[in-house]
Amino acid sequence: MKARIKFQKYGAMKFIGHLDVMRYFQKAFRRAGYDNEYTKGFNPHQIMSFAAPLGLGLTSDGEYVDISLLSSQAPKDMVEKINNVLTEGFKVVGFHLLREPGQNEKHVNAMSLVSKADYLVSLKDGYLLKDGLQAQDKFKEAFEKFYAKQEIFINKKTKTSQKLVDIKPMISMVSFSYEEFAEKLKNYLGQVKRPVNDERSFSLETESVADVYENGIKVYMQVATGSASNLKPELVMEAFCQEFDIDYNPYAWQVHRLELYTEEEDSGKLIPLDCLDR
Amino acid sequence: MRKLALTDDILLSVDKPARYIGGEINMRVKDPKDVDIRFCLCFPDVYEIGMSHLGLQILYDILNSREDTYCERVYSPWVDLDKIMREKNIPLFALESQDPVKNFDFLGITIQYEMCYTNILQVLELSQIPIFSKDRSEDDPIVIGGGPCTYNPEPIADFFDFFYIGEGETVYNDILDLYKEYKHQGKSRREFLEAVSQIEGIYVPLLYDVEYNDDFTIKSFKKNYEAAPERIKRQVAMDINDSYHPTRPLVPLIKITQDRVVLEIQRGCIRGCRFCQAGMIYRPNRERDLEYLKKCAYEMLESTGHEEISLSSLSSSDYSKLKDLVYFLIDEFGSKGVNISLPSLRIDAFSLDVMGKVQDVRKSSITFAPEAGTQRLRDVINKGLTEEDILSGASEAFLSGWNRVKLYFMMGLPTETEEDIEGIAVLADKIAREYYKIPKDQRQGKANIVVSTSFFVPKPFTPFQWARMDTPREYIKKQQLLRSKINEQLNRKSIVYNWHEAELSELEGVLARGDRRLCKVIYDAYKAGCIYDSWSEFFDYDKWVKAFNDNGVSISFYTSRERNEDEIFPWDFIDAGVSKAFLLREYKRAKQGTVTPNCRMLCYNCGAKAFGGGVCFENNNENKNAAAGGNYEGQN
């Protein structure tokens, strides 16, 4: 059976890269006594799939890993068991058994489902933007002006090349407070059935683990994420800085992921990964 | 939430920031305010190496089991962070609390190999602790050295307040109890060091003076503090059979060198290879109890979640319950996705069977360490491995499907001739011939014989401690000779030859048998930029040579000089168990090419029996000894 696990990553653990997070969870499942399914052969490894790897330095409220289990206890117990063996910086907040694929369905892995992600980008304390932009309202004004542009061109570097791309179509929306963001989000969400806590699903009530900074300069954004189209929030901030002649300092911004979504095939509406039963 | 010592921008601009954040699985968390003693353990190399070391995990356990003590860790910052810390004047910090090391009571450094000496100075300097012991004030931590290199602590004597000679399980509690008492009474650093010198196994360098002869050999080694002991007795834990093994080892957040559960099955070795320091200084051989090891394996796999377990010892094939243990591990954990990583084993039916069970035969290789190319030289070094053992082992392995063989040799062994060098090439060729005896349709392509040579470095407390070491030039000549001899072999195309750097070995040789005059040389080399000397990309031979020259210290004095039988060695004040008389007898037997049987076969009165346990008292060994005439001389 397959299970989808949602977890938070925060604090010092933001310095652990994706491959190490995989290794971390492999060991954590073993410590927790999960009955994971292994590949065959001389070097068996756990069958698992992570959705949209998180970059080094980023924190998150919405990370997902799909695992394959030979047996499972009640989701509530599974959450408790794993959290007992996790160290500070990782916390599992949801465990959902997925339904077996129907006759003509193939099993989809978490990675291939992702199409959008919500982020909160905050200016860390101790960093200055530029005179006139340092106040929250001035920052908001400037960012709105930037986002109002028809096209936002920036050099997108890949391992082998770089090209000028318009990132505007990859940004669904931006907001400057959580309330405003939550309100706007409703327009993008599909018919979401929040899983109830039962024998197949369990979610923990938790607070966001995003760091809060005194300067209050922050922006929420929803951007394209996944194999089809992918935009890093860092690139949006770089474009913003470019627009206002600010030296872009990659260390000045704390990027925090809030949620990952898949798109409904027909409507294009979004569904959080933990509200999906497959 | 734990606060980090380094800011985000620093952590994100250095390689592998996880080296510096702590927070590993099974890290001990205490409130520093609740303890009397803050102890920082240090492995002076990069995190991935230091975290792989079992000994440090044992000490971490022991020290943290005291409620009044919080033991934390520090490793050498990598060169990228080293540069930033110097620029920004950031003091080196312990991983657990992220507090500066300079605020601790103790800094305990484990010294596993000579080439880390400059890294010790790096750790001290980055910690903002005076490098020389004599310059430290009442506020600085007490700096302790431990580990195998302390069997000759003299080249680094000036940097340490005291050395703990021997195994850490025995007197740390006495040291910490004493410290607590002295701290509460407001006693001085000097008073504490004088008092700690009264604890067995503790060497306080400043309480001793060395005088040299005109030729720089040692004239005398005398204490300058009345109550200091004449000789320092090595500490040995005689009750490891069912105690002291960690059960909750630290699990790092990044991949490290030994990324697995390590089970220490025994200490010491029965073999007595004459080049091997570990085989002498860890005597007597002491086995851990099989049932205890099974229990530890269970607990460690459960507490770490590791997917692999390996066995650690000097010669695992000699562990008397090895079969039981290995089959237990395979049966118990193999089905649960745990890889069993085998140590190097004597190649026989048993080892081939277990290797076939836990490894992919097509991808793995068979390893032999003949160490020398001819039987004559193997007898000189007392390596009880014959050509017949190797050829029949290789042949069996080939028939079981293997086609890769790794061979390890040393060059520059005492009495070595060109014939011995050529013997390496001939042996490799003979192994390949064994492979090609198998009908063509039954073998897996070409044989793959990898020959690796390292350079022999004479070490203190071995029978070869008197021996002359080759110069780099002589080494390189031997390397070239072997190269050409391999090319003359019939199966040369099946043989690959790898070798070590000669200059690094020379320096290792100097530091291994050096004296206090080297402290200044090491300091100068460090100040000139030498660091991470064991990493070939950083090793800077020219800077070292300059440091020797500037101090008027000759390299060849320490390396290419056969020492007199009655010469006083810098390490003679240490009572390691094996006696100097035994070592000298062994050296003489080596030169005659006479082998000495292993401890289980016969006791040769090396001196380790005085510790009162282990193999010396196993299976009526005493009787065997008596039957053989009771003493060594009777054997000649």
Side-chain angles (χ1 to χ4, degrees):
Chain A
M1 67 188 86
K2 298 266 177 191
R4 179 160 301 147
I5 289 168
K6 182 178 186 180
F7 66 92
Q8 296 173 315
K9 187 183 184 219
Y10 59 96
M13 292 308 115
K14 71 181 178 188
F15 298 108
I16 306 299
H18 175 62
L19 287 176
D20 293 318
V21 171
M22 280 177 65
R23 286 168 12 88
Y24 180 89
F25 271 93
Q26 281 163 16
K27 292 183 201 289
F29 291 140
R30 300 183 65 95
R31 290 197 302 279
Y34 273 33
D35 191 9
N36 293 72
E37 190 182 350
Y38 284 80
T39 59
K40 306 276 182 276
F42 279 101
N43 292 302
H45 57 267
Q46 291 171 13
I47 297 169
M48 55 163 59
S49 158
F50 277 80
L54 195 68
L56 203 67
L58 278 65
T59 54
S60 176
D61 280 315
E63 292 304 287
Y64 290 94
V65 54
D66 286 2
I67 60 172
S68 203
L69 292 170
L70 295 171
S71 67
S72 172
Q73 289 162 298
K76 182 173 187 287
D77 297 336
M78 296 298 273
V79 170
E80 196 181 303
K81 273 168 87 173
I82 186 89
N83 278 334
N84 283 342
V85 300
L86 294 185
T87 43
E88 185 181 270
F90 288 107
K91 186 176 182 185
V92 165
V93 296
F95 179 98
H96 313 280
L97 289 170
L98 304 178
R99 95 182 137 76
E100 293 299 314
Q103 269 199 328
N104 294 318
E105 283 179 321
K106 263 208 224 151
H107 195 88
V108 280
N109 70 35
M111 182 71 211
S112 65
L113 287 170
V114 179
S115 70
K116 290 276 190 324
D118 292 338
Y119 289 96
L120 164 62
V121 184
S122 316
L123 183 70
K124 291 178 193 171
D125 288 328
Y127 289 95
L128 294 175
L129 282 182
K130 129 186 214 186
D131 286 346
L133 282 186
Q134 203 60 33
Q136 283 176 48
D137 53 335
K138 298 287 182 204
F139 169 76
K140 182 181 170 196
E141 205 175 291
F143 204 95
E144 276 172 339
K145 196 173 142 203
F146 159 73
Y147 186 62
K149 291 186 358 167
Q150 290 291 318
E151 292 164 326
I152 301 174
F153 277 101
I154 177 100
N155 253 324
K156 194 176 179 181
K157 295 179 194 90
T158 64
K159 271 174 197 155
T160 48
S161 67
Q162 58 169 324
K163 59 180 178 190
L164 213 54
V165 287
D166 178 13
I167 58 171
K168 181 72 194 279
M170 290 188 258
I171 311 172
S172 323
M173 58 123 156
V174 301
S175 337
F176 301 89
S177 74
Y178 183 74
E179 292 70 28
E180 183 194 4
F181 167 74
E183 199 51 42
K184 279 191 187 173
L185 188 59
K186 288 179 186 160
N187 301 327
Y188 294 89
L189 289 180
Q191 291 292 329
V192 173
K193 274 192 288 178
R194 279 265 145 219
V196 289
N197 289 346
D198 58 15
E199 71 278 5
R200 297 195 60 80
S201 231
F202 183 79
S203 302
L204 268 184
E205 292 284 325
T206 54
E207 308 223 320
S208 170
V209 291
D211 290 329
V212 177
Y213 298 94
E214 277 175 20
N215 66 59
I217 291 179
K218 61 181 180 184
V219 53
Y220 291 85
M221 61 178 82
Q222 185 173 83
V223 296
T225 301
S227 43
S229 171
N230 194 60
L231 175 63
K232 288 181 174 174
E234 294 92 317
L235 202 66
V236 179
M237 300 321 290
E238 194 179 338
F240 167 75
C241 289
Q242 194 175 296
E243 180 74 15
F244 291 94
D245 266 337
I246 304 166
D247 279 335
Y248 172 67
N249 179 347
Y251 306 128
W253 303 95
Q254 180 59 51
V255 180
H256 175 78
R257 188 186 272 169
L258 295 160
E259 186 57 280
L260 285 174
Y261 302 97
T262 189
E263 240 165 41
E264 274 185 330
E265 271 176 45
D266 326 323
S267 65
K269 295 274 189 180
L270 301 180
I271 301 176
L273 284 195
D274 58 349
C275 300
L276 201 68
D277 64 353
R278 63 184 188 115
Chain B
M1 219 167 9
R2 291 168 64 243
K3 227 180 124 38
L4 299 178
L6 299 172
T7 53
D8 282 12
D9 56 333
I10 294 177
L11 284 166
L12 288 169
S13 58
V14 298
D15 192 27
K16 299 192 183 145
R19 287 166 173 165
Y20 314 110
I21 61 174
E24 299 94 335
I25 297 133
N26 295 331
M27 180 182 94
R28 308 299 192 270
V29 180
K30 294 184 185 182
D31 187 339
K33 287 198 283 299
D34 297 342
V35 298
D36 297 306
I37 303 166
R38 299 194 67 183
F39 197 111
C40 190
L41 278 177
C42 168
F43 193 110
D45 205 323
V46 74
Y47 179 84
E48 294 92 309
I49 306 248
M51 272 291 278
S52 303
H53 189 250
L54 179 71
L56 220 62
Q57 300 251 14
I58 295 177
L59 280 179
Y60 187 71
D61 249 19
I62 292 175
L63 295 171
N64 274 317
S65 69
R66 285 177 68 108
E67 260 182 39
D68 62 356
T69 305
Y70 189 12
C71 175
E72 308 185 36
R73 294 160 296 136
V74 68
Y75 304 93
S76 282
W78 191 239
V79 288
D80 52 359
L81 181 62
D82 176 288
K83 187 161 170 272
I84 294 171
M85 292 179 84
R86 285 171 202 273
E87 276 166 14
K88 305 199 175 200
N89 203 30
I90 301 169
L92 187 59
F93 51 90
L95 295 185
E96 277 77 359
S97 64
Q98 301 271 312
D99 289 340
V101 174
K102 65 178 169 187
N103 298 340
F104 279 59
D105 297 292
F106 290 99
L107 171 60
I109 304 176
T110 182
I111 317 166
Q112 296 291 319
Y113 30 82
E114 292 82 3
M115 303 314 285
C116 75
Y117 288 174
T118 52
N119 278 55
I120 295 172
L121 305 199
Q122 175 215 24
V123 167
L124 290 171
E125 192 168 55
L126 289 180
S127 299
Q128 303 174 356
I129 298 169
I131 289 178
F132 288 96
S133 162
K134 64 177 168 54
D135 299 331
R136 286 179 202 140
S137 72
E138 297 296 324
D139 298 330
D140 291 309
I142 306 278
V143 180
I144 313 175
C149 287
T150 62
Y151 287 86
N152 177 19
E154 292 301 87
I156 43 175
D158 291 353
F159 313 129
F160 286 86
D161 297 313
F162 69 84
F163 291 95
Y164 181 128
I165 313 289
E167 296 170 8
E169 286 94 345
T170 59
V171 295
Y172 259 117
N173 277 328
D174 300 343
I175 296 169
L176 297 187
D177 288 343
L178 179 77
Y179 178 79
K180 203 162 104 177
E181 187 192 324
Y182 270 54
K183 190 182 175 184
H184 286 163
Q185 290 172 4
K187 298 255 174 91
S188 72
R189 188 182 189 89
R190 169 82 195 192
E191 283 170 309
F192 172 69
L193 291 177
E194 286 178 359
V196 85
S197 77
Q198 303 302 298
I199 295 176
E200 196 180 85
I202 302 306
Y203 168 50
V204 182
L206 70 86
L207 304 181
Y208 300 82
D209 294 319
V210 188
E211 272 186 84
Y212 299 92
N213 296 311
D214 292 341
D215 65 357
F216 295 116
T217 56
I218 291 173
K219 186 174 178 189
S220 70
F221 179 92
K222 285 193 194 124
K223 58 184 181 180
N224 59 37
Y225 169 65
E226 188 56 38
E230 294 282 348
R231 299 192 77 204
I232 311 295
K233 195 162 192 279
R234 167 193 155 224
Q235 292 304 294
V236 188
M238 293 309 294
D239 49 353
I240 61 161
N241 57 313
D242 61 357
S243 56
Y244 299 125
H245 205 295
T247 51
R248 279 196 305 142
L250 289 151
V251 184
L253 301 164
I254 52 172
K255 216 170 158 45
I256 59 164
T257 316
Q258 283 262 18
D259 201 15
R260 53 186 76 94
V261 164
V262 180
L263 199 58
E264 188 199 36
I265 59 176
Q266 60 182 346
R267 254 180 232 175
C269 179
I270 60 170
R271 292 282 149 182
C273 298
R274 291 174 180 136
F275 55 84
C276 178
Q277 188 189 38
M280 297 292 161
I281 61 174
Y282 296 129
R283 287 182 174 216
N285 165 264
R286 289 149 287 155
E287 296 194 340
R288 286 193 194 264
D289 182 66
L290 176 65
E291 294 307 316
Y292 177 63
L293 288 175
K294 287 181 183 175
K295 185 173 145 272
C296 291
Y298 255 119
E299 289 179 19
M300 288 205 289
L301 286 167
E302 194 172 281
S303 69
T304 60
H306 275 308
E307 302 85 0
E308 192 166 328
I309 183 166
S310 71
L311 307 182
S312 161
S313 83
L314 291 169
S315 172
S316 298
S317 290
D318 292 326
Y319 177 63
S320 56
K321 305 273 171 45
L322 185 74
K323 268 189 203 181
D324 296 336
L325 180 62
V326 170
Y327 285 129
F328 167 81
L329 294 176
I330 293 174
D331 295 344
E332 197 66 26
F333 304 116
S335 60
K336 295 174 187 153
V338 176
N339 291 324
I340 320 292
S341 158
L342 291 175
S344 51
L345 294 175
R346 198 182 311 128
I347 301 302
D348 55 20
F350 158 69
S351 56
L352 290 172
D353 176 56
V354 296
M355 285 166 79
K357 282 196 169 115
V358 303
Q359 305 170 347
D360 187 344
V361 172
R362 282 163 304 166
K363 288 181 189 148
S364 61
S365 56
I366 300 288
T367 303
F368 294 96
E371 308 294 0
T374 60
Q375 195 56 49
R376 184 200 70 80
L377 193 52
R378 283 195 291 275
D379 288 346
V380 167
I381 61 176
N382 207 39
K383 181 85 192 183
L385 184 67
T386 64
E387 183 171 302
E388 200 194 325
D389 294 337
I390 297 166
L391 293 182
S392 66
S395 172
E396 272 185 66
F398 293 147
L399 288 168
S400 309
W402 274 272
N403 64 350
R404 293 160 188 253
V405 175
K406 284 188 201 157
L407 297 170
Y408 291 100
F409 295 95
M410 275 187 288
M411 285 204 287
L413 289 162
T415 77
E416 185 181 56
T417 62
E418 287 198 2
E419 202 187 336
D420 298 310
I421 304 281
E422 186 175 0
I424 296 174
V426 173
L427 182 61
D429 185 63
K430 279 185 184 164
I431 292 171
R433 285 175 195 228
E434 286 295 324
Y435 181 73
Y436 293 109
K437 277 183 194 166
I438 300 172
K440 200 169 184 181
D441 55 334
Q442 287 167 36
R443 32 181 222 243
Q444 314 269 342
K446 249 175 60 176
N448 184 341
I449 318 282
V450 180
V451 173
S452 299
T453 62
S454 61
F455 293 120
F456 168 63
V457 178
K459 293 278 166 100
F461 292 106
T462 66
F464 292 156
Q465 61 181 351
W466 287 270
R468 175 186 184 276
M469 184 178 163
D470 281 353
T471 62
R473 185 172 300 193
E474 287 167 310
Y475 275 148
I476 288 160
K477 244 180 82 185
K478 288 181 177 178
Q479 215 162 50
Q480 287 164 347
L481 176 68
L482 178 55
R483 169 87 279 157
S484 70
K485 290 294 177 192
I486 286 175
N487 284 334
E488 287 169 18
Q489 303 302 315
L490 174 68
N491 295 301
R492 59 187 171 274
K493 284 186 177 155
S494 300
I495 304 171
V496 178
Y497 177 38
N498 297 325
W499 58 87
H500 279 224
E501 298 297 322
E503 289 164 345
L504 204 87
S505 305
E506 180 185 52
L507 183 61
E508 189 187 329
V510 177
L511 299 178
R513 291 190 292 171
D515 52 34
R516 285 192 185 185
R517 297 188 304 139
L518 294 185
C519 294
K520 183 67 180 7
V521 177
I522 294 167
Y523 177 80
D524 286 351
Y526 167 71
K527 280 291 174 187
C530 290
I531 191 175
Y532 282 106
D533 294 301
S534 58
W535 297 69
S536 56
E537 67 261 50
F538 296 117
F539 179 61
D540 193 333
Y541 184 67
D542 295 340
K543 281 191 183 136
W544 274 101
V545 170
K546 184 172 182 301
F548 277 100
N549 291 340
D550 289 352
N551 285 284
V553 175
S554 141
I555 289 177
S556 60
F557 169 80
Y558 297 99
T559 52
S560 24
R561 180 172 69 86
E562 178 79 20
R563 284 144 167 86
N564 286 329
E565 282 180 15
D566 55 359
E567 181 171 332
I568 299 174
F569 293 145
W571 54 90
D572 274 355
F573 69 93
I574 292 173
D575 173 7
V578 289
S579 68
K580 199 174 182 182
F582 164 76
L583 296 173
L584 188 59
R585 291 198 301 261
E586 277 292 288
Y587 188 36
K588 288 177 177 167
R589 280 166 75 92
K591 287 195 272 196
Q592 293 160 9
T594 311
V595 297
T596 296
N598 73 51
C599 297
R600 227 165 242 152
M601 293 166 74
L602 212 52
C603 175
Y604 276 77
N605 292 338
C606 69
K609 199 171 180 178
F611 292 112
V615 70
C616 314
F617 293 86
E618 197 179 86
N619 302 331
N620 299 322
N621 212 345
E622 278 181 283
N623 298 344
K624 275 195 218 170
N625 183 15
N631 73 54
Y632 193 95
E633 254 63 42
Q635 301 297 314
N636 287 331

